[in-house]
Amino acid sequence: GRGLQTNGQDKFSAPEDKYALQNQELLIAYFERLEGTLAELRPLARECAGGDNTVVVMVCNTGQSDLLINFICSAEARGFGDVVREKVLVFATDQGVYDIATGLGLRAFYDEKIFEQMPEKEAGMYGDKSFTAMMWSKVVTVQLVNRLGHDVLFQDVDLVWYKNPLEFFHDKTNPLHDFDILFQDDGARSLRYAPYSANTGFYYVRNNDKTKFLFRSLLYLGDMVLSMTSHQQALGALLDEHSSLTGLRVKTLSGLDFPGGYHYHRKKEIEPMRDIVEGRHVPYIFHMSWTTNKKNKLLFLKQMGLWY
C-alpha cells in the first residue's frame, strides 16, 4: 500500500478487529444519544456562531485544564477576552473540566454517556491510551458542530493567540478564502502525513457538503484513529482521498504566521522564532505541538513568555 516505507514499515496497515469492536461501542453510544445531543448542543453552538457562523471548538479534560486556563488568561492579556468568551465552545470530557470552563465564563458541553470512556488525566505521552481516547473525542466534536451547519475553528488547548485568527479566515480578500479546510503546518514530512502535513491541533473548516462528508467519513473510520493512536494520520489520509474524490480544497498554512512546536524545536527555524520572541514578527498564533507531554509544554511555554 501507499504507507509502505523504504525501511519495510507499513504506516497504513488495516486496523485489527479489536479496534473495529472498540469503535463499534463508541458509535453505539454516539447514535443512541445523537438526537438528544444535537438538541442540547444546537443552542450553544448557535450562540457561539453569531453573525459570522463560526464556532471555536476546544476539547479538554481536567488533566489539561491548566492549559485551557492559560489560553483564556493569555486572551484576556492580549485583548481577545471578549472574542474568546463569545466564540469558544468547550467540549468537556469530564465533569471537572466542565465546571472549570463554565467558571471561566465559557460555554461548555458535557455528555456523560458519549464521553464516559474518556480519561480525566492528561496523556502521559504522545500516543498513549489517554491521548488516543482524546483524539477520538476531537473527531466527534468537530463532526457534531459541522453537522449543525457552522464553520469550525478547532484548536488544542496548548495554544496562544497573538492576533485574532478568525479575522484571517473571514477576510474575503484573502486568496485562501475559497479553501474548504485549512490546517496549521505540522512540519512532519514523513509518508504517514503526506501530502499536506496537516496538524490537527489547529484548523479551520468551512461548512459545506464536502466537509460534512469528510467528517462523517472520519467518524465511521474510528477504528483507523484508534489503531494509529491519533486522528491526524487518519484525517490526513482522508484529505488526500477526498480532494480527489469530491474536489475538497485543502490548504496548509504558512509556518511563519501559524507556527508550532516544529518551528520551536528545529534549529533551522531559530531565526523566525527569535523574531517572534523579540517582537519583530507577530504571527496569528503559536501552538506548542511536537512536545512529549504536558510537563514539557508548560516549561517551553514559560520559556516563550507565553505562560499567564
Side-chain angles (χ1 to χ4, degrees):
R2 73 186 192 203
L4 188 61
Q5 300 181 147
T6 54
N7 62 3
Q9 291 185 347
D10 188 353
K11 293 300 182 180
F12 283 104
S13 56
E16 299 174 12
D17 285 348
K18 64 179 181 180
Y19 298 113
L21 293 172
Q22 193 176 344
N23 188 51
Q24 179 177 303
E25 291 181 11
L26 292 168
L27 286 174
I28 288 171
Y30 169 90
F31 283 112
E32 284 181 344
R33 289 286 301 124
L34 182 58
E35 293 307 316
T37 297
L38 292 175
E40 185 178 349
L41 185 59
R42 185 173 287 108
L44 288 172
R46 187 185 299 120
E47 290 171 1
C48 291
D52 57 31
N53 197 37
T54 301
V55 180
V56 179
V57 170
M58 303 179 76
V59 178
C60 191
N61 62 10
T62 298
Q64 296 281 356
S65 59
D66 42 1
L67 289 167
L68 173 65
I69 295 169
N70 185 64
F71 170 72
I72 302 304
C73 291
S74 70
E76 289 282 5
R78 293 173 178 271
F80 307 126
D82 290 343
V83 175
V84 165
R85 285 190 170 84
E86 177 187 352
K87 304 300 292 181
V88 168
L89 176 55
V90 176
F91 282 83
T93 63
D94 60 72
Q95 185 65 47
V97 79
Y98 175 85
D99 294 341
I100 291 169
T102 54
L104 290 168
L106 300 171
R107 294 183 182 90
F109 174 85
Y110 172 56
D111 187 303
E112 184 177 4
K113 182 64 177 177
I114 289 180
F115 295 126
E116 66 181 351
Q117 297 187 45
M118 299 301 112
E120 291 189 22
K121 295 183 178 180
E122 74 273 12
M125 61 181 295
Y126 178 92
D128 70 9
K129 289 183 178 180
S130 294
F131 182 91
T132 303
M134 288 298 291
M135 294 307 100
W136 190 88
S137 67
K138 291 176 181 182
V139 172
V140 174
T141 53
V142 173
Q143 189 272 332
L144 286 170
V145 177
N146 176 256
R147 173 179 174 141
L148 287 171
H150 304 297
D151 289 3
V152 176
L153 173 59
F154 179 86
Q155 63 173 57
D156 283 342
V157 291
D158 56 342
L159 194 144
V160 169
W161 288 5
Y162 283 84
K163 297 186 290 189
N164 182 354
L166 294 175
E167 295 177 355
F168 175 90
F169 296 116
H170 294 161
D171 182 2
K172 293 184 178 180
T173 67
N174 187 332
L176 305 185
H177 187 267
D178 290 335
F179 282 86
D180 298 305
I181 187 166
L182 304 95
F183 290 87
Q184 181 183 38
D185 184 359
D186 183 77
R189 298 296 184 260
S190 55
L191 185 61
R192 64 192 296 222
Y193 298 129
Y196 296 107
S197 190
N199 185 292
T200 49
F202 183 86
Y203 62 96
Y204 191 89
V205 186
R206 302 195 192 279
N207 185 268
N208 56 45
D209 288 340
K210 293 177 182 178
T211 57
K212 287 180 178 178
F213 180 42
L214 173 71
F215 282 96
R216 281 200 309 272
S217 301
L218 183 60
L219 177 69
Y220 299 152
L221 289 175
D223 53 348
M224 191 175 179
V225 174
L226 296 168
S227 68
M228 292 175 175
T229 71
S230 170
H231 69 312
Q232 182 162 299
Q233 185 178 347
L235 180 53
L238 284 181
L239 293 175
D240 193 20
E241 176 71 16
H242 283 238
S243 64
S244 172
L245 182 65
T246 68
L248 182 78
R249 299 195 69 196
V250 184
K251 187 65 178 179
T252 306
L253 298 165
S254 162
L256 289 176
D257 288 327
F258 297 90
Y262 167 81
H263 307 89
Y264 177 89
H265 291 296
R266 291 299 179 100
K267 288 184 178 179
K268 66 179 181 179
E269 303 287 345
I270 192 170
E271 288 306 320
M273 291 305 301
R274 183 176 286 130
D275 287 343
I276 292 171
V277 172
E278 295 179 1
R280 292 188 295 272
H281 175 67
V282 182
Y284 279 95
I285 60 107
F286 177 75
H287 175 203
M288 195 68 256
S289 54
W290 272 58
T291 306
T292 306
N293 52 41
K294 190 183 78 171
K295 180 181 178 181
N296 286 339
K297 288 178 187 288
L298 300 188
L299 292 173
F300 296 145
L301 285 168
K302 289 176 181 178
Q303 190 177 61
M304 286 280 291
L306 297 178
W307 191 250
Y308 292 82

Short mmCIF file of all heavy atoms in Angstrom, two decimals, residues 71-91:
data_model
loop_
_atom_site.label_atom_id
_atom_site.label_comp_id
_atom_site.label_asym_id
_atom_site.label_seq_id
_atom_site.Cartn_x
_atom_site.Cartn_y
_atom_site.Cartn_z
N PHE A 71 -4.83 29.62 28.12
CA PHE A 71 -5.31 30.21 26.88
C PHE A 71 -6.26 31.38 27.17
O PHE A 71 -6.15 32.45 26.55
CB PHE A 71 -6.02 29.17 26.01
CG PHE A 71 -6.74 29.78 24.83
CD1 PHE A 71 -6.02 30.29 23.76
CD2 PHE A 71 -8.13 29.86 24.81
CE1 PHE A 71 -6.67 30.89 22.68
CE2 PHE A 71 -8.79 30.45 23.74
CZ PHE A 71 -8.06 30.96 22.67
N ILE A 72 -7.17 31.19 28.11
CA ILE A 72 -8.12 32.25 28.44
C ILE A 72 -7.39 33.46 29.04
O ILE A 72 -7.66 34.61 28.66
CB ILE A 72 -9.19 31.74 29.43
CG1 ILE A 72 -9.94 30.54 28.84
CG2 ILE A 72 -10.15 32.86 29.79
CD1 ILE A 72 -10.58 30.81 27.49
N CYS A 73 -6.45 33.20 29.93
CA CYS A 73 -5.70 34.29 30.54
C CYS A 73 -4.87 35.04 29.50
O CYS A 73 -4.77 36.28 29.53
CB CYS A 73 -4.81 33.76 31.65
SG CYS A 73 -5.69 33.16 33.11
N SER A 74 -4.27 34.30 28.56
CA SER A 74 -3.49 34.95 27.50
C SER A 74 -4.38 35.80 26.61
O SER A 74 -4.01 36.89 26.17
CB SER A 74 -2.75 33.90 26.67
OG SER A 74 -3.63 33.14 25.86
N ALA A 75 -5.60 35.30 26.33
CA ALA A 75 -6.55 36.06 25.51
C ALA A 75 -6.95 37.36 26.22
O ALA A 75 -7.03 38.43 25.59
CB ALA A 75 -7.77 35.21 25.20
N GLU A 76 -7.19 37.28 27.51
CA GLU A 76 -7.52 38.48 28.28
C GLU A 76 -6.37 39.49 28.23
O GLU A 76 -6.57 40.68 27.99
CB GLU A 76 -7.81 38.11 29.74
CG GLU A 76 -9.12 37.37 29.95
CD GLU A 76 -10.32 38.30 29.93
OE1 GLU A 76 -10.15 39.51 29.67
OE2 GLU A 76 -11.44 37.81 30.19
N ALA A 77 -5.14 38.98 28.43
CA ALA A 77 -3.97 39.87 28.46
C ALA A 77 -3.72 40.53 27.11
O ALA A 77 -3.22 41.66 27.06
CB ALA A 77 -2.74 39.06 28.90
N ARG A 78 -4.09 39.86 26.03
CA ARG A 78 -3.82 40.38 24.69
C ARG A 78 -5.03 41.07 24.06
O ARG A 78 -4.99 41.43 22.88
CB ARG A 78 -3.33 39.24 23.80
CG ARG A 78 -1.97 38.69 24.22
CD ARG A 78 -1.56 37.45 23.43
NE ARG A 78 -0.25 36.99 23.83
CZ ARG A 78 0.90 37.41 23.28
NH1 ARG A 78 0.88 38.27 22.28
NH2 ARG A 78 2.06 36.94 23.70
N GLY A 79 -6.10 41.20 24.82
CA GLY A 79 -7.25 41.95 24.34
C GLY A 79 -8.27 41.15 23.57
O GLY A 79 -9.15 41.73 22.91
N PHE A 80 -8.21 39.81 23.66
CA PHE A 80 -9.17 38.96 22.96
C PHE A 80 -10.18 38.30 23.90
O PHE A 80 -10.92 37.41 23.48
CB PHE A 80 -8.44 37.83 22.21
CG PHE A 80 -7.35 38.29 21.30
CD1 PHE A 80 -6.06 37.77 21.43
CD2 PHE A 80 -7.59 39.22 20.31
CE1 PHE A 80 -5.04 38.19 20.60
CE2 PHE A 80 -6.58 39.65 19.46
CZ PHE A 80 -5.30 39.14 19.61
N GLY A 81 -10.21 38.73 25.13
CA GLY A 81 -11.05 38.06 26.12
C GLY A 81 -12.51 38.00 25.71
O GLY A 81 -13.16 36.94 25.81
N ASP A 82 -13.05 39.13 25.23
CA ASP A 82 -14.46 39.15 24.84
C ASP A 82 -14.72 38.25 23.65
O ASP A 82 -15.75 37.55 23.60
CB ASP A 82 -14.88 40.58 24.51
CG ASP A 82 -14.93 41.49 25.74
OD1 ASP A 82 -14.96 40.94 26.87
OD2 ASP A 82 -14.93 42.72 25.58
N VAL A 83 -13.81 38.25 22.68
CA VAL A 83 -13.97 37.41 21.49
C VAL A 83 -13.97 35.94 21.87
O VAL A 83 -14.81 35.15 21.42
CB VAL A 83 -12.84 37.69 20.47
CG1 VAL A 83 -12.95 36.73 19.28
CG2 VAL A 83 -12.89 39.12 19.98
N VAL A 84 -13.04 35.55 22.72
CA VAL A 84 -12.91 34.16 23.13
C VAL A 84 -14.15 33.70 23.89
O VAL A 84 -14.68 32.61 23.64
CB VAL A 84 -11.63 33.98 23.98
CG1 VAL A 84 -11.66 32.66 24.72
CG2 VAL A 84 -10.40 34.07 23.08
N ARG A 85 -14.62 34.51 24.80
CA ARG A 85 -15.80 34.12 25.57
C ARG A 85 -17.06 34.06 24.69
O ARG A 85 -17.98 33.30 24.98
CB ARG A 85 -16.02 35.08 26.74
CG ARG A 85 -15.03 34.82 27.88
CD ARG A 85 -15.38 35.59 29.14
NE ARG A 85 -14.55 35.13 30.24
CZ ARG A 85 -13.33 35.55 30.49
NH1 ARG A 85 -12.78 36.46 29.69
NH2 ARG A 85 -12.62 35.08 31.50
N GLU A 86 -17.08 34.84 23.65
CA GLU A 86 -18.22 34.81 22.73
C GLU A 86 -18.18 33.61 21.79
O GLU A 86 -19.21 33.00 21.50
CB GLU A 86 -18.24 36.10 21.89
CG GLU A 86 -19.34 36.14 20.84
CD GLU A 86 -19.23 37.34 19.92
OE1 GLU A 86 -18.40 38.23 20.20
OE2 GLU A 86 -19.96 37.39 18.91
N LYS A 87 -16.97 33.23 21.33
CA LYS A 87 -16.85 32.27 20.23
C LYS A 87 -16.50 30.85 20.65
O LYS A 87 -16.78 29.90 19.92
CB LYS A 87 -15.80 32.75 19.22
CG LYS A 87 -16.03 34.14 18.65
CD LYS A 87 -17.35 34.24 17.90
CE LYS A 87 -17.37 33.44 16.63
NZ LYS A 87 -18.66 33.58 15.92
N VAL A 88 -15.86 30.67 21.81
CA VAL A 88 -15.35 29.35 22.20
C VAL A 88 -16.46 28.48 22.78
O VAL A 88 -17.25 28.92 23.62
CB VAL A 88 -14.19 29.48 23.20
CG1 VAL A 88 -13.86 28.13 23.83
CG2 VAL A 88 -12.95 30.04 22.51
N LEU A 89 -16.50 27.24 22.31
CA LEU A 89 -17.35 26.21 22.89
C LEU A 89 -16.45 25.08 23.34
O LEU A 89 -15.80 24.41 22.51
CB LEU A 89 -18.37 25.71 21.86
CG LEU A 89 -19.29 24.56 22.29
CD1 LEU A 89 -20.03 24.89 23.57
CD2 LEU A 89 -20.27 24.21 21.17
N VAL A 90 -16.36 24.87 24.65
CA VAL A 90 -15.51 23.83 25.21
C VAL A 90 -16.31 22.53 25.32
O VAL A 90 -17.38 22.50 25.95
CB VAL A 90 -14.98 24.22 26.60
CG1 VAL A 90 -14.18 23.07 27.22
CG2 VAL A 90 -14.13 25.48 26.52
N PHE A 91 -15.79 21.48 24.70
CA PHE A 91 -16.36 20.15 24.89
C PHE A 91 -15.59 19.51 26.04
O PHE A 91 -14.42 19.15 25.90
CB PHE A 91 -16.24 19.32 23.62
CG PHE A 91 -17.27 19.64 22.58
CD1 PHE A 91 -17.08 20.71 21.73
CD2 PHE A 91 -18.43 18.90 22.48
CE1 PHE A 91 -18.03 21.03 20.77
CE2 PHE A 91 -19.40 19.20 21.54
CZ PHE A 91 -19.19 20.28 20.68
#
